[in-house]
Amino acid sequence: MNSDLQLTKDFPILDRKVHNTRLVYFDNAATTQKPEAVMSAMTQYYQTSNANVHRGVHTLSDESTLAVEKARKTISSFLGADASELILVRNTTEALNGILYGWALHNLAEGDVVITSQLEHHSNFVVWQEACKHTGAELKVIPVLEDSTLDYKWLEANVAHAKLIALTYVSNAVGSVLDVERVVTVAKKVGARVAIDGAQAVAHMPVSFKSLGVDFFAFSGHKMYGPMGSGGLLVRSELFKSNEMQPWLFGGGMIAEVYENKTKFHDDPIERFTAGTPDVASAVGLAAACEYLSKIGMKTVEKHDEELVAYAFEKLQAIPQVTIVGPTSKRVGSVSFLYEGVHSHDVAQVLDSQGIAVRSGHHCTMPLHVANNWIATTRASFAVYNSKEDIDLLVLGLQKVAEVFGK
């Protein structure tokens, strides 16, 4: 079955040429391109309704307030959450830092354990190093198996005293997918909270925050066709009600009353966790991205991704110099590989000369690369606008690598 969705017309940047050839964009795990619908929604907001929220009784302020409230509902609904469970932030990194400052510093202590893994992006690794440094908790790291999937038996054997298990849903480096249900089951045995880095999942598969049963879910808008500087942290509502999750930014907007010697924060979590002026345009843009994906259908998006990954495997495995790293099945979003005798940066530079954009290096996953003795890898990551023809061009580009380096 042809997996090509024929959506390039929706993305103006894909009309441009790079080095006098058609752009083939395979750096989607770093950031996706934006459809016209997203850019138009943001432009329309700025041209018609730009004003500060909640602080005026005039028409534009009312419209701006309604715009951000509508965006929150669209975004949270897309991810199977209530609007009251969504904190708008700039990206996944800020969301994870929100868990650090809003939860970890108030709930961790000496003798507690935080568990993360060798698969993690640095934003879901360094933040927990800092949490443990400041609270005296111990950081434990789940090792990966030979195929770069998690060693769940290790987790089950080392979960004692865990207060938080923080893991990525989909690895940005090798595309392996977390068994969230199994992790939640393990966490419940010891009463640990579960935080999920969902940055690489939201653009490739249906996600339901309530169905996952986790406590925190972080994501970025710019990896799901939304604007840079947009994203969210989903927090299970019970953690707001009990004040287990506390504000970490303070100022106007999130208060109910302010006196010289005390301040009362707003009862509504949406208000309490919005200090200062929100980025309304980015929220509108992210909501438009959610609507764009919803129109395609996330099951269709998931199938498209599966077919592209399978096709890339088939084509790349036929190249003698290429070794694909990571799992061979149940893989999402990308294919990463080593090219024998050639550094990934050199591979990427030759591919760029052919108009093909890939990512090279350690992809902010040094612990994973060190564990596998990979100096660096080359990653081709996919989006709804990519096609099998694009992958064929990648294969031709790798033939150029062989010509240049004699490999």
Side-chain angles (χ1 to χ4, degrees):
M1 180 178 177
N2 193 327
S3 66
D4 302 346
L5 295 178
Q6 303 295 318
L7 297 174
T8 55
K9 65 183 185 303
D10 296 339
F11 296 82
I13 198 171
L14 298 180
D15 286 336
R16 70 162 294 181
K17 293 186 181 296
V18 174
H19 302 301
N20 296 316
T21 188
R22 176 170 79 83
L23 170 64
V24 176
Y25 188 79
F26 279 146
D27 196 19
N28 297 288
T31 197
T32 51
Q33 299 303 337
K34 320 306 173 195
E36 181 65 45
V38 168
M39 295 183 283
S40 294
M42 296 177 71
T43 298
Q44 183 180 21
Y45 166 76
Y46 276 129
Q47 289 179 339
T48 64
S49 303
N50 180 54
N52 213 327
V53 299
H54 299 313
R55 298 182 179 89
V57 294
H58 57 80
T59 298
L60 292 188
S61 181
D62 286 343
E63 289 179 355
S64 189
T65 301
L66 289 172
V68 74
E69 289 176 351
K70 180 182 177 182
R72 292 178 56 87
K73 290 177 181 177
T74 299
I75 297 163
S76 56
S77 176
F78 178 75
L79 295 170
D82 295 333
S84 61
E85 295 176 308
L86 171 64
I87 303 171
L88 291 173
V89 295
R90 293 178 299 169
N91 47 47
T92 302
T93 299
E94 184 173 300
L96 293 167
N97 274 270
I99 305 172
L100 164 63
Y101 289 104
W103 181 87
L105 296 186
H106 305 291
N107 290 280
L108 295 179
E110 199 167 335
D112 292 333
V113 169
V114 175
I115 296 177
T116 186
S117 84
Q118 290 179 338
L119 274 178
E120 305 310 311
H121 187 284
H122 295 160
S123 60
N124 199 35
F125 198 93
V126 177
V127 68
W128 307 123
Q129 288 179 332
E130 289 297 307
C132 291
K133 182 191 302 183
H134 288 286
T135 63
E138 179 185 0
L139 183 66
K140 291 187 176 182
V141 181
I142 307 171
V144 292
L145 302 174
E146 190 174 347
D147 65 350
S148 294
T149 57
L150 285 190
D151 186 342
Y152 293 99
K153 291 182 179 178
W154 185 99
L155 170 63
E156 291 163 354
N158 290 272
V159 73
H161 308 297
K163 274 290 188 70
L164 177 70
I165 303 174
L167 300 171
T168 185
Y169 199 162
V170 174
S171 165
N172 74 299
V174 295
S176 52
V177 183
L178 182 70
D179 186 342
V180 178
E181 183 178 356
R182 186 170 181 179
V183 171
V184 169
T185 298
V186 172
K188 284 182 176 179
K189 292 179 179 177
V190 295
R193 299 298 183 202
V194 177
I196 297 297
D197 169 1
Q200 298 298 328
V202 288
H204 297 283
M205 62 174 70
V207 170
S208 171
F209 177 62
K210 290 189 181 301
S211 296
L212 288 174
V214 301
D215 300 286
F216 306 99
F217 187 95
F219 65 98
S220 294
H222 74 99
K223 296 182 189 292
M224 53 181 291
Y225 312 100
M228 288 189 179
S230 68
L233 173 63
L234 297 172
V235 181
R236 195 161 53 82
S237 58
E238 286 80 356
L239 276 66
F240 287 140
K241 293 173 182 176
S242 66
N243 286 320
E244 185 176 327
M245 180 68 177
Q246 299 184 27
W248 70 90
L249 293 175
F250 304 92
M254 50 84 68
I255 52 88
E257 300 171 355
V258 177
Y259 303 97
E260 288 188 4
N261 61 347
K262 66 178 181 179
T263 293
K264 180 183 177 183
F265 301 141
H266 208 292
D267 290 334
D268 184 350
I270 293 176
E271 302 297 337
R272 191 161 71 247
F273 286 84
T274 306
T277 301
D279 187 343
V280 181
S282 288
V284 167
L286 178 51
C290 293
E291 290 173 340
Y292 181 81
L293 285 168
S294 294
K295 286 178 182 177
I296 300 170
M298 287 309 296
K299 287 291 187 182
T300 299
V301 171
E302 184 176 40
K303 185 174 181 58
H304 173 75
D305 180 83
E306 290 172 352
E307 292 181 4
L308 286 185
V309 169
Y311 189 74
F313 254 81
E314 176 190 338
K315 294 298 181 180
L316 292 175
Q317 282 179 326
I319 302 173
Q321 302 94 327
V322 168
T323 301
I324 298 173
V325 299
T328 57
S329 62
K330 193 54 181 173
R331 183 184 187 122
V332 170
S334 66
V335 176
S336 298
F337 58 90
L338 305 166
Y339 192 102
E340 185 179 0
V342 183
H343 194 282
S344 67
H345 293 334
D346 294 322
V347 172
Q349 195 164 27
V350 173
L351 289 174
D352 178 67
S353 73
Q354 309 299 300
I356 302 167
V358 297
R359 182 65 51 162
S360 58
H362 53 65
H363 318 300
C364 291
T365 58
M366 279 192 67
L368 177 66
H369 278 65
V370 170
N372 286 283
N373 294 313
W374 303 329
I375 295 174
T377 54
T378 304
R379 181 185 69 198
S381 51
F382 310 124
V384 294
Y385 42 72
N386 289 129
S387 64
K388 291 180 179 179
E389 181 187 353
D390 291 341
I391 294 169
D392 291 338
L393 291 172
L394 171 63
V395 172
L396 289 175
L398 290 173
Q399 291 178 9
K400 184 68 173 179
V401 174
E403 294 171 13
V404 170
F405 292 96
K407 300 287 186 180

